[in-house]
């Protein structure tokens, strides 16, 4: 009786650390917290700084759940969220995200599609803070930290890249103006880029920085629609008129050929670096053969 009792916790941990169980248990917990974070943003929509503070609190709780699961259940260190080097990788991701979106807009300006009419007050920079923080932190914990890592543990890096990218893209169909084309474009351009960033560094900071910065730059600065969602106008007042293939239509720039080219090219560069540095992992059955 005593021996059985002593074996049960270890047996329970082995069950919980199975990739499929981890995917369901930890993934569900983070998804629920993401929904709660969205509810906080909605409840505080008229108070952008309070909304941002609420999201920071929810994100801290989500990180605590993620780290707690890794340490108490999986019995491992959380290298993907380790602090040394965080500032450099987060800053690089922020720079890449802002630079890529600005490059996309520059192409539209040159083509006469994006026309700047003026500037709104600086306070228009504030409402997008909560959205950018929530999407960048929660979605990277969920899609790269849980889904990508769990699939990779069993099926290897290539299957994990495809699965996590498709799930990430098509979950955007839940947005008010979500479209299949927009979801497919996000799967290719953003799914590849964000997964490749994780593959290259084996950490989440680069992808978190990119994700937050792209969404914030899109909404707060250039007044763009973020992934078919409801967004407030940002700093720049602009008129965007042109074919949906270039503007992305009601879904936003992620559903445009411009973003597809820029982001996919960047993702392929990161992927090539990951391959060169030996960061691609084989399926479990090949690792144990």
């Amino acid at each position: 009786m005593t021996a059985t009792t002593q074996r049960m916790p270890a047996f329970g941990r082995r069950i919980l650390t199975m990739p499929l169980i981890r995917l369901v248990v930890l993934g569900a917990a983070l998804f629920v917290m993401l929904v709660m974070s969205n509810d906080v943003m909605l409840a505080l929509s008229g108070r952008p700084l309070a909304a941002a503070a609420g999201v920071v609190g929810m994100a801290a709780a989500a990180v605590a759940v993620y780290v707690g699961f890794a340490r108490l259940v999986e019995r491992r260190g959380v290298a993907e969220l380790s602090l040394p080097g965080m500032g450099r990788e987060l800053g690089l991701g922020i720079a890449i995200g802002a630079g890529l979106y600005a490059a996309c807009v520059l192409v539209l300006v040159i083509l006469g599609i994006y026309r700047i009419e003026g500037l709104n007050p600086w306070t228009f920079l504030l409402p997008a803070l909560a959205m950018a923080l929530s999407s960048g932190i929660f979605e990277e914990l969920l899609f790269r930290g849980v889904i990508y890592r769990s699939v990779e543990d069993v099926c290897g890096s290539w299957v994990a890249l495809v699965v996590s990218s498709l799930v990430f893209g098509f979950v955007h169909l839940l947005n008010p103006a979500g479209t299949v084309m927009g979801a497919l474009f996000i799967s290719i351009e953003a799914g590849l880029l964000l997964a490749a960033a994780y593959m290259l560094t084996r950490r989440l900071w680069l992808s978190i920085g990119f994700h937050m910065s792209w969404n914030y730059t899109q909404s707060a600065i250039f007044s763009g629609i973020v992934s078919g969602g409801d967004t407030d106008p940002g700093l720049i007042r602009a008129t965007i008129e042109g074919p949906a293939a270039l503007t992305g239509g009601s879904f936003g720039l992620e559903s445009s050929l411009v973003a597809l080219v820029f982001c996919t090219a960047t993702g392929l560069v990161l992927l090539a670096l990951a391959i060169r540095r030996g960061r691609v992992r084989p399926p479990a059955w090949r690792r144990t053969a």
Side-chain angles (χ1 to χ4, degrees):
M1 185 71 173
T2 303
T4 303
T5 303
Q6 290 174 345
R7 286 196 299 268
M8 284 302 291
F11 176 75
R13 276 197 303 273
R14 284 198 296 271
I15 294 296
L16 287 174
T17 55
M18 293 173 62
L20 179 60
I21 301 300
R22 180 208 305 148
L23 181 64
V24 172
V25 174
L26 184 56
L30 291 175
F31 183 79
V32 169
M33 296 183 79
L34 171 60
V35 172
M36 293 171 64
S37 178
N38 290 338
D39 289 341
V40 168
M41 286 191 292
L42 184 61
L44 299 173
S45 59
R47 301 161 56 195
L49 292 180
V55 166
V56 168
M58 290 297 303
V63 169
V65 168
Y66 185 95
V67 171
F69 189 92
R71 290 183 175 171
L72 300 177
V73 177
E74 299 180 74
R75 296 295 180 91
R76 66 176 184 88
V78 195
E80 63 269 34
L81 288 175
S82 60
L83 297 181
M86 178 190 75
R88 178 176 59 84
E89 293 174 6
L90 193 63
L92 181 60
I94 290 171
I96 292 174
L100 278 176
Y101 194 85
C104 292
V105 172
L106 179 60
V107 170
L108 298 185
V109 169
I110 292 172
L111 294 175
I113 292 173
Y114 187 100
R115 293 187 293 276
I116 298 174
E117 298 179 342
L119 297 177
N120 290 315
W122 71 269
T123 52
F124 279 60
L125 291 170
L126 299 178
L129 277 172
M131 175 273 298
L133 289 167
S134 183
S135 60
I137 298 172
F138 278 98
E139 293 181 20
E140 291 313 302
L141 286 174
L142 179 58
F143 292 104
R144 259 56 63 178
V146 177
I147 295 178
Y148 178 95
R149 198 168 59 83
S150 297
V151 176
E152 185 184 52
D153 283 350
V154 178
C155 302
S157 298
W158 296 118
V159 175
L161 189 154
V162 173
V163 171
S164 64
S165 296
L166 287 174
V167 175
F168 176 65
F170 278 85
V171 79
H172 288 82
L173 288 174
L174 299 175
N175 290 346
T179 65
V180 172
M181 184 62 71
L184 183 60
F185 272 44
I186 285 183
S187 297
I188 297 170
E189 65 200 18
L192 168 63
L193 192 156
L194 294 167
Y198 176 76
M199 289 174 66
L200 176 62
T201 62
R202 289 293 158 184
R203 288 149 60 81
L204 292 171
W205 300 119
L206 185 62
S207 58
I208 287 174
F210 170 84
H211 202 149
M212 288 193 305
S213 179
W214 173 277
N215 284 0
Y216 183 78
T217 302
Q218 184 172 18
S219 179
I221 298 177
F222 292 106
S223 301
I225 302 169
V226 180
S227 309
D230 297 322
T231 54
D232 297 315
L235 182 65
I236 296 176
R237 283 188 287 109
T239 299
I240 306 173
E241 293 180 349
L246 296 178
T247 66
S250 61
F251 189 86
L253 197 61
E254 288 107 329
S255 188
S256 74
L257 293 175
V258 180
L260 183 68
V261 169
F262 275 98
C263 294
T264 303
T266 304
L268 288 173
V269 170
L270 294 179
L271 184 59
L273 289 173
I275 295 171
R276 181 177 298 178
R277 296 180 186 180
R279 304 294 170 82
V280 178
R281 296 179 178 174
W285 56 87
R286 289 182 56 188
R287 293 196 295 268
T288 56

